[in-house]
Amino acid sequence: ENVLTQSPAIMSASLGEKVTMSCRASSSVNYMYWYQQKSDASPKLWIYYTSNLAPGVPARFSGSGSGNSYSLTISSMEGEDAATYYCQQFTSSPFTFGSGTKLEIK
Amino acid sequence: DVQLQESGPGLVKPSQSLSLTCTVTGYSITSDYAWNWIRQFPGNKLEWMGYISYSGSTSYNPSLKSRISITRDTSKNQFFLQLNSVTTEDTATYYCARGTSMDYWGQGTSVTVSS
C-alpha cells in the first residue's frame, strides 16, 4: 500500500505566522487530498485535487505538490486554524491516510 | 443538504460481528459516488475500510478483505458495514463518508470491542 508520511507530527505557530506542513507518499500519486479535524469532530474535506479549496475554506490556505511530495500552507496563522490535518490519496487502493500534523497556537 | 448518520451498537464482544448502518439524506446513494466506511483508532490513525458504489459494486481494504462486507438498502437510502470476528483491535470510531474525495462525513459512532 501507499504509505503517506506527514511531517512534522506536531507544530506550533504564532498568530500571523506562515505555516507549511508536508506529506510524502511512498509511491507517486496523481493528487493529494487534505482534511481538517478538530477535537471530537469528524474530519472535514479541506483541499482536493492537490490545490483546490473545499467550500468555505479560507483563502489563506493553499495546497501544492506533485508526484511523491505535497504540502499544505497557511499564509497567516489564525486561531481557528488550530487542528489536526491529514493527507489522503486515492490514486491506488487501498486508499490511505497520513498520520496527521497537529497544529497548535504558540 | 447532504447528511450522513451512523448508527449501531456501541459495544461488541470479541469474536462476534460488528454491524453498522449509515443513513443518507439529501442525496440518493444510487445516483453517483462511492459510499465509504472509514475508522479512526484510539491515537487517531485513520483507516479506509471499503466502499459500495452507486452501482452496487464494492471495494475493500485487503487488510480486512476476509472479514468485511458492505451492502445497501436502496429503498431506505442506507448502506451497511459488517465486520466479522472482531477483536479488541477493532475498537474505533467508525465513520461513513461520501465519494472518493470524502466531501461529506457522518458524525461518527464509537464502537468498543470488549467482553
Side-chain angles (χ1 to χ4, degrees):
Chain A
E1 71 176 41
N2 198 342
V3 177
L4 303 184
T5 302
Q6 290 188 246
S7 61
I10 304 174
M11 65 185 303
S12 61
S14 302
L15 298 179
E17 184 178 349
K18 182 179 180 179
V19 172
T20 299
M21 59 188 72
S22 170
C23 178
R24 290 188 174 271
S26 60
S27 301
S28 180
V29 300
N30 296 331
Y31 300 103
M32 192 62 72
Y33 283 58
W34 295 87
Y35 300 84
Q36 181 197 67
Q37 187 177 32
K38 296 189 175 182
S39 297
D40 299 323
S42 308
K44 291 182 180 179
L45 177 64
W46 214 243
I47 295 174
Y48 63 99
Y49 287 137
T50 300
S51 59
N52 293 277
L53 302 185
V57 174
R60 63 182 178 273
F61 284 85
S62 63
S64 64
S66 64
N68 297 74
S69 184
Y70 293 83
S71 62
L72 180 155
T73 298
I74 307 171
S75 61
S76 178
M77 175 77 178
E78 294 199 9
E80 65 180 10
D81 301 337
T84 300
Y85 295 85
Y86 295 92
C87 57
Q88 183 243 336
Q89 66 82 25
F90 64 87
T91 296
S92 59
S93 184
F95 308 154
T96 49
F97 292 87
S99 54
T101 289
K102 185 176 183 179
L103 175 60
E104 300 172 334
I105 301 171
K106 189 182 293 182
Chain B
D1 193 26
V2 180
Q3 294 188 340
L4 293 85
Q5 174 88 45
E6 305 89 349
S7 59
L11 180 64
V12 181
K13 289 181 168 27
S15 80
Q16 293 188 343
S17 293
L18 179 163
S19 295
L20 298 176
T21 298
C22 182
T23 300
V24 180
T25 56
Y27 196 89
S28 171
I29 63 172
T30 61
S31 290
D32 201 352
Y33 296 106
W35 299 88
N36 299 275
W37 286 100
I38 302 110
R39 62 182 177 177
Q40 188 166 34
F41 298 103
N44 295 324
K45 177 185 174 182
L46 287 162
E47 179 182 64
W48 171 76
M49 301 181 71
Y51 69 68
I52 186 164
S53 76
Y54 69 95
S55 65
S57 63
T58 55
S59 178
Y60 301 132
N61 191 318
S63 69
L64 301 167
K65 200 160 190 177
S66 61
R67 299 197 292 137
I68 189 173
S69 177
I70 299 176
T71 57
R72 64 182 184 172
D73 184 336
T74 58
S75 67
K76 295 181 179 178
N77 216 38
Q78 295 175 324
F79 63 105
F80 311 102
L81 170 71
Q82 182 171 317
L83 187 65
N84 299 322
S85 306
V86 298
T87 71
T88 56
E89 295 189 353
D90 294 310
T91 293
T93 297
Y94 287 75
Y95 296 98
C96 52
R98 185 182 83 163
T100 47
S101 60
M102 301 181 193
D103 56 354
Y104 289 92
W105 293 63
Q107 87 285 355
T109 187
S110 179
V111 178
T112 299
V113 179
S114 175
S115 55

